[in-house]
Amino acid sequence: QVQLVESGGGLVQPGGSLRLSCAASGFAFSTADMKWYRQVPGKQREFVAVITRGGSVNYVDFVKGRFTLSRDNAKNTVYLEMNSLKPEDTAVYYCIARFSGRDYWGQGTQVTVSS
């Protein structure tokens, strides 16, 4: 029943921008903390950002000033605006909902930053 569908990934040149979306369904979206993680094949997943059910936002250091996380509870959607992209941002980006003490993961969307 819980579904998280990421979209907006693709190929972009260094310095470019992408806006990732995560459409949620099957649970009370407004009660969940929403997170983004990313993963490069062969490496550990790493935390990117979180927005709580109360609207508080926290970012990992390497994206501060470049990425903006927001949510629209009326649309059951969370957004990750990614600016000034670097090749090292290349990864699969995952949307995660946390509620009732558990994490639920989407399928991910590929972001490739290359010239």
Side-chain angles (χ1 to χ4, degrees):
Q1 182 74 183
V2 174
Q3 290 191 343
L4 300 166
V5 181
E6 301 98 331
S7 62
L11 176 64
V12 65
Q13 293 186 345
S17 299
L18 286 172
R19 189 197 197 199
L20 306 184
S21 298
C22 175
S25 61
F27 64 98
F29 180 79
S30 64
T31 72
D33 296 343
M34 302 298 297
K35 301 180 284 187
W36 288 92
Y37 275 68
R38 68 188 189 186
Q39 185 172 28
V40 176
K43 297 185 181 297
Q44 289 277 306
R45 289 169 175 164
E46 60 183 3
F47 171 80
V48 177
V50 59
I51 183 165
T52 70
R53 60 190 182 274
S56 298
V57 182
N58 192 35
Y59 304 94
V60 72
D61 285 346
F62 55 74
V63 307
K64 287 181 179 176
R66 299 189 298 124
F67 292 9
T68 302
L69 180 60
S70 62
R71 67 191 296 161
D72 187 338
N73 286 348
K75 297 180 179 179
N76 285 4
T77 302
V78 62
Y79 305 96
L80 186 66
E81 187 76 38
M82 309 164 65
N83 300 311
S84 301
L85 283 162
K86 305 173 181 180
E88 50 263 46
D89 294 318
T90 296
V92 177
Y93 284 72
Y94 295 92
C95 176
I96 303 99
R98 184 174 180 85
F99 60 95
S100 300
R102 300 186 65 180
D103 286 346
Y104 297 83
W105 290 68
Q107 291 292 303
T109 186
Q110 176 71 48
V111 171
T112 302
V113 185
S114 177
S115 59

